[in-house]
Amino acid sequence: MPLTEPELDLKVADRTPVAEGVVLLRLVRPDGGPLPSWTPGAHVDLLLAPGLVRQYSLCGDPGDDRAFEVAVLREPIGRGGSAHVHDRLAEGDTVRVRGPRNHFGLAESPRYLFVAGGIGITPLLPMIAEAARRRTDWRLVYGGRTRASMAFADRLVRDHPDRVELCPQDETGLLDLDGLLGVPLSGALVYCCGPEPLLRAAEERCASWPKGALRVERFTPAATDGGEASAFEVELALTGTTLTVPEDRSILEVVEEAGVPVLSSCREGTCGTCETVVLDGVPDHRDSLLTEEERAAGDVMFICVSRARSPRLVLEL
């Protein structure tokens, strides 16, 4: 994968609290120039410090090429990214940004059901705006711990009072997913983002829906049994190199050790940065991104976590 993904040093032009524990950053080029285009569902990497790279959904207006907007929730038991943003990234500071990229795009559909949990509202905001612009039928059900913790809730209700249902847990309890997803909604696509228990519950409820009707985005790995790991070979088609991947190492680690540059970020199969074309062989997909159809196609894989079902893979590297 060529190292062509854009990286820019952007200035924090504005830093605004939008809910309890949530801050909205507006990032612009210091020279005021345009930013790369993006579509609803896209995210960017913030390179906050050496070894500290985090992914955040773009939640602003795709038509505004002068600013990226991301909303960051302070995670009390996080891994340091949100604390860095909240405690150390001030208005006027510069932060390196990589991307955008999109593995959660808004597909064409006659109707949408958006389901958000907490900060999972962020990638859905541009989707809702696009659905409204298209005059497509849509509905949002948005849950959170408390009303005060639910970012953008007041704006959503003000702008779309007949289509938005707010469900603060301390007022209404957990989202009624059985009532919401228990019966397939004809012609609808479901877009869901939020904490892992919500995503797993949505997947369980949508098992009877048409294949591909549910689209989810994760920023932590899905809890899956990766199965046994065995050694295999990878041929790098662009360099003519063949490498052995042992059972205790990833393709990404072995390729990097061989001096082949590959973009990577999360190293846990959630961000999509290391997406690599598969020219031959059968991948063993262990990421949290690809749909069942994309896994069956077997033409791309994420080499930070995925392995091989065949003795040999040929990759476009």
Side-chain angles (χ1 to χ4, degrees):
M1 183 176 177
L3 299 179
T4 57
E5 198 169 28
E7 285 189 9
L8 295 169
D9 290 320
L10 302 185
K11 182 177 72 172
V12 181
D14 190 63
R15 190 178 186 281
T16 307
V18 290
E20 286 182 355
V22 181
V23 64
L24 178 68
L25 304 180
R26 182 173 175 85
L27 308 173
V28 302
R29 284 179 49 162
D31 63 4
L35 294 169
S37 62
W38 59 281
T39 53
H43 69 269
V44 293
D45 296 342
L46 297 191
L47 286 67
L48 298 168
L52 189 61
V53 182
R54 296 292 182 266
Q55 293 75 44
Y56 296 106
S57 297
L58 291 170
C59 60
D61 177 7
D64 178 6
D65 67 356
R66 301 290 164 171
F68 287 157
E69 291 186 355
V70 297
V72 181
L73 168 69
R74 180 189 285 277
E75 299 278 5
I77 56 173
R79 296 172 297 163
S82 68
H84 185 103
V85 170
H86 278 261
D87 297 337
R88 301 182 60 182
L89 196 59
E91 194 169 305
D93 285 351
T94 298
V95 61
R96 174 149 288 207
V97 178
R98 180 191 298 147
R101 74 183 67 88
N102 197 342
H103 291 280
F104 192 46
L106 186 67
E108 291 284 345
S109 179
R111 61 173 63 175
Y112 300 102
L113 174 57
F114 300 111
V115 182
I119 199 62
I121 189 62
T122 53
L124 304 184
L125 292 174
M127 295 185 184
I128 289 168
E130 178 62 16
R133 186 189 68 79
R134 296 178 190 173
R135 298 187 178 181
T136 305
D137 185 22
W138 65 271
R139 177 188 176 199
L140 168 68
V141 179
Y142 178 12
R145 293 181 295 101
T146 65
R147 193 175 294 267
S149 73
M150 298 169 67
F152 310 106
D154 291 344
R155 187 182 85 188
L156 285 162
V157 171
R158 181 195 68 217
D159 293 346
H160 311 286
D162 299 328
R163 295 184 181 272
V164 173
E165 181 181 353
L166 300 184
C167 302
Q169 185 176 343
D170 63 340
E171 298 177 22
T172 64
L174 295 174
L175 293 179
D176 180 15
L177 294 182
D178 289 326
L180 191 62
L181 302 173
V183 177
L185 183 62
S186 177
L189 290 182
V190 181
Y191 280 81
C192 182
C193 189
E196 182 61 24
L198 171 64
L199 302 185
R200 288 200 305 269
E203 288 170 336
E204 292 170 2
R205 271 48 167 212
C206 287
S208 62
W209 286 57
K211 187 175 293 187
L214 174 65
R215 315 290 175 94
V216 303
E217 182 167 53
R218 287 179 162 91
F219 284 104
T220 57
T224 59
D225 179 5
E228 295 183 1
S230 57
F232 57 94
E233 289 188 338
V234 290
E235 178 184 336
L236 311 184
L238 301 184
T239 63
T241 304
T242 298
L243 305 170
T244 297
V245 180
E247 61 184 27
D248 61 344
R249 304 193 70 194
S250 69
I251 299 174
L252 177 62
E253 290 171 332
V254 171
V255 168
E256 287 180 330
E257 188 175 80
V260 178
V262 181
L263 280 175
S264 66
S265 181
C266 72
R267 295 179 178 258
E268 56 187 15
T270 59
C271 75
T273 309
C274 68
E275 181 176 4
T276 302
V277 173
V278 180
L279 300 175
D280 194 24
V282 182
D284 178 7
H285 296 292
R286 301 188 181 194
D287 62 273
S288 303
L289 287 160
L290 295 176
T291 65
E292 290 183 21
E293 293 80 4
E294 291 166 337
R295 289 172 180 247
D299 53 0
V300 298
M301 67 185 300
F302 299 99
I303 61 174
C304 65
V305 292
S306 295
R307 301 186 66 80
R309 294 189 182 277
S310 54
R312 185 182 182 91
L313 292 174
V314 181
L315 303 179
E316 193 175 65
L317 288 172

